Amino acid sequence: MKFCFRFICLISLCCLSKVELTAQAVGDTNILKLDYQGRRIMDADDAYSYLLKVWQEPPLWATDLYSYPDQKRLYTRHYADSTRRILQGLYTSYHPSGNISEQGMYENGKRHGRFEGWHENGKRSSLFQYNMGVMIDTNRRWNDAGELVYESVLNAEGTGYVKGMNRGAGFNESGPMLKGARHGEWTIYQEDRLMMKMQYIKDSIAISECYDSLGNVANGPCIYEREAMFPGGANGWYRYLQSNLRYPDEARRGEIQGVVKINFTVDKDGVLSEYSIASSPHESLSREVIRLLQKGPQWMPAIQYNRPVKMRHSQNVVFRLQ
């Protein structure tokens, strides 16, 4: 057998297979197999990464998404009809332990009303209020130690001020909101030192300035945030896999295929460590992914407020026999 692989850094599961199931009887449950991009798999021999359970709760339709092969529930969603395009009603996401991560209501595809979040340890992580997708009223976020790290006070149109967003290491980010979007001058301080100024227009940074330790405008690039990445980005990672990935003999003989989901840390120098397999079809595939990461070059570190920072990163590698 020949084999091929695919990869993805961060997957989005917001637009999963939208197969209409109008013939399904009330109370029946359909189980769909999805690939790593959330597309429905029709061939029984193809590798799949998720299981989607679909059933009707009149007048709504409901879905549970599970990762595969570990079969951990990721979320429960409700939709307005069988096309599953418009979120309506209760939404719940889950931590790997099965504890609730976030819960709230949707109205015509938009967050509406109270949304609450909890850390894995059970402590509250967030409490937000929405009016048809726009954040309103007083909203707060806490870290897993219970310390307040974010607070905003907004009117019924989502206009107001974020009084402080504690991003750790003494950083605080503040600025105005206009109808649910950042708009105007935002500042970032570390303790009492000005680090950055950004001019926002409807949530997009139009102009940014970084400052040195003396308070002068710094020369060179001024980067607000950037995720850690393989040298050369997605194309560089793809070329590296093409040249270096080996399909393990044990997995090939057993015709084992699927997605290895791995988490690891990229430190400020781009060195990788703390590998953790989130899920995998087989141990031999897990070992191969870890070998690839350990053998590879240093990564480009994450950037926050124009300085390199340590970051936890997730990566998926798909093994597929053909």
Side-chain angles (χ1 to χ4, degrees):
M1 286 188 179
K2 297 180 180 179
F3 71 90
C4 66
F5 59 86
R6 296 182 183 177
F7 73 95
I8 185 167
C9 295
L10 295 173
I11 66 170
S12 173
L13 300 173
C14 62
C15 301
L16 294 168
S17 177
K18 298 291 194 299
V19 180
E20 190 165 359
L21 301 170
T22 53
Q24 186 180 35
V26 175
D28 290 347
T29 299
N30 274 348
I31 299 179
L32 310 181
K33 295 179 179 180
L34 309 177
D35 68 11
Y36 72 104
Q37 290 182 316
R39 298 173 301 196
R40 187 178 183 185
I41 291 176
M42 305 303 293
D43 191 332
D45 294 328
D46 280 353
Y48 58 97
S49 303
Y50 302 97
L51 294 172
L52 185 69
K53 295 185 178 181
V54 184
W55 70 97
Q56 191 174 10
E57 292 182 0
L60 305 178
W61 286 72
T63 63
D64 274 342
L65 182 71
Y66 294 83
S67 57
Y68 185 85
D70 52 343
Q71 298 196 35
K72 293 181 179 179
R73 184 162 56 171
L74 303 177
Y75 67 65
T76 300
R77 291 175 175 173
H78 291 79
Y79 295 87
D81 56 38
S82 60
T83 63
R84 306 197 313 280
R85 290 186 173 90
I86 301 175
L87 287 165
Q88 180 76 20
L90 184 64
Y91 165 89
T92 307
S93 62
Y94 301 90
H95 290 292
S97 66
N99 294 334
I100 293 177
S101 170
E102 188 181 32
Q103 191 170 68
M105 301 293 290
Y106 275 85
E107 180 71 28
N108 197 27
K110 297 178 180 180
R111 293 189 173 205
H112 190 68
R114 182 186 180 103
F115 258 78
E116 297 181 79
W118 295 268
H119 290 289
E120 184 75 88
N121 62 11
K123 292 187 177 181
R124 186 186 297 277
S125 63
S126 60
L127 179 58
F128 290 84
Q129 299 286 341
Y130 291 90
N131 179 23
M132 295 304 293
V134 176
M135 195 162 58
I136 62 172
D137 296 337
T138 299
N139 304 277
R140 295 186 175 95
R141 185 180 293 123
W142 297 266
N143 62 23
D144 57 9
E147 299 169 329
L148 184 67
V149 296
Y150 170 95
E151 185 175 60
S152 64
V153 179
L154 309 170
N155 66 15
E157 294 183 341
T159 297
Y161 198 80
V162 176
K163 296 191 295 185
M165 187 185 296
N166 189 327
R167 303 295 296 273
F171 284 95
N172 284 277
E173 183 176 352
S174 300
M177 301 284 289
L178 178 64
K179 295 183 178 180
R182 296 186 183 200
H183 195 82
E185 183 177 277
W186 280 63
T187 57
I188 298 170
Y189 283 84
Q190 185 178 28
E191 305 299 345
D192 295 327
R193 176 191 160 196
L194 177 63
M195 300 290 292
M196 289 187 71
K197 284 184 180 179
M198 298 88 63
Q199 286 290 337
Y200 279 91
I201 299 177
K202 295 182 179 179
D203 257 350
S204 296
I205 297 177
I207 302 172
S208 62
E209 287 184 340
C210 292
Y211 296 84
D212 61 23
S213 58
L214 299 177
N216 300 316
V217 176
N219 296 322
C222 183
I223 301 172
Y224 174 63
E225 280 184 337
R226 186 192 70 196
E227 289 204 11
M229 66 176 70
F230 189 86
N235 289 335
W237 173 246
Y238 181 78
R239 289 192 296 269
Y240 175 71
L241 289 183
Q242 280 187 314
S243 302
N244 295 278
L245 185 141
R246 306 169 189 164
Y247 211 113
D249 290 338
E250 184 179 0
R252 188 199 301 271
R253 289 193 300 269
E255 298 186 3
I256 298 169
Q257 53 186 349
V259 182
V260 175
K261 306 170 188 177
I262 186 169
N263 302 319
F264 53 92
T265 297
V266 184
D267 72 12
K268 293 188 290 186
D269 297 318
V271 176
L272 309 188
S273 63
E274 300 175 344
Y275 303 98
S276 173
I277 299 295
S279 64
S280 174
H282 195 265
E283 185 179 350
S284 65
L285 301 183
S286 301
R287 290 195 299 266
E288 173 59 13
V289 171
I290 292 175
R291 183 194 70 81
L292 281 168
L293 292 171
Q294 290 178 331
K295 175 181 179 291
Q298 291 185 355
W299 283 43
M300 299 172 64
I303 299 293
Q304 185 184 51
Y305 308 148
N306 211 42
R307 78 198 213 290
V309 294
K310 183 178 179 179
M311 177 187 176
R312 195 72 176 156
H313 189 79
S314 298
Q315 193 84 13
N316 288 3
V317 178
V318 178
F319 292 82
R320 178 167 296 166
L321 293 162
Q322 288 187 337

